[in-house]
Amino acid sequence: MTEFAIQISGLRKTYAKSRSSAAKEALRGVDLNIPKGSIFGLLGPNGAGKSTLINIMAGLVVKTSGQVRIWGFDQDVNPRQSRAAIGVVPQELNLDAFLTPRESLDMQAGLYGVRKADRRTDEILAAVGLADKAGAYSRSLSGGMRRRLLLGKAMVHSPEVLVLDEPTAGVDIELRQMLWAYIRQLNAQGTTIILTTYYLEEAQEMCNEIAIINHGQIVAQDSTRNLVESIDAKTLVVFPDNRIGDRKLNLPECVSLEHRSDGSLAMTYSRSRVRVGDILAALAAEQITIRDIASEDGNLEDVFVSLTSDGHADS
């Protein structure tokens, strides 16, 4: 058995031209391997190609060329098995307003060919916090409850891979925490999770590994830790005993100084070019007595901005 839940090579997708738009190349030779058992972040700006990539994996969009294998099954050779191995929680709240949550899950299970005796409808409703709403019409559910129902629908066939497309967009903190607790539980049981989100702090906290897509190409893929540590810039925050106002300081070259409103001095520097000791020595030479000190490392947002800063993704 392969060690990867998803294997994508040379994936391309070009949308044909229409009366109102020219042909558009959404994916430009994407190569991507997602390890089994991981919580994997797929990040990118609007129009970078994330949705196209997800929809191809889910079998909703036909690729132009390339190969996609899901849980070892080639989409072209074993389309039924590859689709059965993946569940997708979409961004849009696409629910039948006249079905109850129980009916929605049962219908979804039927579409996947899950026998009645093997269905876990009540178990899933309880897991996503909808047991007490099992008989209510979907149209009466709140936005957060509808998002839980989408998660439940994606789980009816017990997929090995679960894709969460902006799962916490527009939901409150309590629901977000509930969703992530359930996702961690699923992952601990062996489900591979693929997450797309614009909440980068969420991705940094949740994901073992991250790929960043821009202009239809993967521009970075590594462990979350390695990506964050790749940022060379770091900030040293010093709290002097006395306020020094906007006084200019003689600091090492390539160190930028910010006088913050709380009286602290924030000095951003390149870790590869400047040592902390040199900055502290310069402050001592300026006769600044330090009351407290802290450091601010780069984060995933810094990585994301550095790799996608042109902000002009194509599709």
Side-chain angles (χ1 to χ4, degrees), residues 223-232 271 298 303:
S223 70
T224 306
R225 179 176 180 177
N226 285 346
L227 282 175
V228 172
E229 289 183 349
S230 70
I231 293 295
D232 192 42
R271 292 187 296 180
V303 179

Side-chain angles (χ1 to χ4, degrees), residues 43 107 170 178 196 200 252 256 270:
L43 310 180
M107 177 178 288
M178 185 280 295
T196 77
L200 298 183
S256 63
S270 166

Side-chain angles (χ1 to χ4, degrees), residues 26-90:
L27 298 178
R28 304 175 175 180
V30 169
D31 296 317
L32 182 65
N33 290 323
I34 298 178
K36 285 183 177 179
S38 64
I39 299 182
F40 189 94
L42 179 62
L43 310 180
N46 281 329
K50 299 189 303 297
S51 294
T52 296
L53 181 55
I54 289 171
N55 287 332
I56 289 175
M57 287 193 290
L60 300 175
V61 169
V62 178
K63 67 183 185 292
T64 300
S65 63
Q67 184 184 56
V68 177
R69 298 178 69 89
I70 300 174
W71 214 251
F73 296 108
D74 189 309
Q75 275 190 340
D76 297 326
V77 180
N78 305 106
R80 188 170 181 177
Q81 291 91 332
S82 67
R83 291 187 188 187
I86 193 169
V88 178
V89 181

Side-chain angles (χ1 to χ4, degrees), residues 17-314:
K17 67 178 180 179
S18 65
R19 286 185 175 182
S20 58
S21 62
K24 191 171 288 187
E25 192 176 22
L27 298 178
R28 304 175 175 180
V30 169
D31 296 317
L32 182 65
N33 290 323
I34 298 178
K36 285 183 177 179
S38 64
I39 299 182
F40 189 94
L42 179 62
L43 310 180
N46 281 329
K50 299 189 303 297
S51 294
T52 296
L53 181 55
I54 289 171
N55 287 332
I56 289 175
M57 287 193 290
L60 300 175
V61 169
V62 178
K63 67 183 185 292
T64 300
S65 63
Q67 184 184 56
V68 177
R69 298 178 69 89
I70 300 174
W71 214 251
F73 296 108
D74 189 309
Q75 275 190 340
D76 297 326
V77 180
N78 305 106
R80 188 170 181 177
Q81 291 91 332
S82 67
R83 291 187 188 187
I86 193 169
V88 178
V89 181
Q91 218 178 119
E92 301 79 13
L93 297 174
N94 54 350
L95 298 168
D96 190 318
F98 297 97
L99 291 181
T100 67
R102 178 175 282 115
E103 290 168 342
S104 291
L105 264 60
D106 276 337
M107 177 178 288
Q108 188 81 353
L111 293 173
Y112 275 98
V114 181
R115 297 181 304 172
K116 287 186 177 181
D118 297 329
R119 294 178 189 175
R120 303 180 297 119
T121 300
D122 290 334
E123 175 191 334
I124 292 173
L125 287 171
V128 297
L130 289 177
D132 60 337
K133 298 289 184 180
Y137 286 122
S138 296
R139 67 175 181 268
S140 69
L141 301 179
S142 67
M145 290 178 179
R146 294 180 187 184
R147 197 159 290 282
R148 298 186 212 183
L149 181 53
L150 288 177
L151 176 57
K153 286 180 65 178
M155 293 303 303
V156 296
H157 59 298
S158 303
E160 285 84 1
V161 180
L162 182 63
V163 179
L164 305 171
D165 191 5
E166 299 294 330
T168 57
V171 304
D172 60 36
I173 294 175
E174 183 179 0
L175 174 58
R176 186 175 298 169
Q177 292 175 339
M178 185 280 295
L179 285 173
W180 286 131
Y182 183 51
I183 293 308
R184 285 190 174 101
Q185 179 184 336
L186 288 174
N187 181 247
Q189 294 169 354
T191 304
T192 300
I193 308 296
I194 301 174
L195 166 69
T196 77
T197 181
Y198 289 110
Y199 299 116
L200 298 183
E201 69 280 2
E202 192 171 73
Q204 185 170 338
E205 179 183 352
M206 289 292 299
C207 298
N208 318 113
E209 192 168 328
I210 286 171
I212 297 176
I213 186 170
N214 196 30
H215 294 295
Q217 297 177 307
I218 301 297
V219 294
Q221 181 181 351
D222 207 334
S223 70
T224 306
R225 179 176 180 177
N226 285 346
L227 282 175
V228 172
E229 289 183 349
S230 70
I231 293 295
D232 192 42
K234 187 169 183 175
T235 300
L236 183 69
V237 183
V238 167
F239 298 85
D241 262 338
N242 300 304
R243 286 181 176 267
I244 64 170
D246 294 332
R247 171 180 148 198
K248 291 185 177 181
L249 301 177
N250 184 23
L251 297 173
E253 189 179 355
C254 299
V255 176
S256 63
L257 172 64
E258 175 192 356
H259 293 266
R260 294 185 174 175
S261 58
D262 61 358
S264 64
L265 306 174
M267 291 156 288
T268 301
Y269 62 98
S270 166
R271 292 187 296 180
S272 62
R273 301 176 64 184
V274 178
R275 296 180 302 175
V276 174
D278 296 333
I279 298 175
L280 295 177
L283 294 177
E286 294 281 346
Q287 298 184 334
I288 293 176
T289 305
I290 298 172
R291 171 170 47 87
D292 200 1
I293 192 169
S295 66
E296 298 174 355
D297 292 318
N299 55 34
L300 189 58
E301 181 176 350
D302 298 322
V303 179
F304 185 87
V305 170
S306 71
L307 292 170
T308 63
S309 57
D310 53 32
H312 299 295
D314 294 316

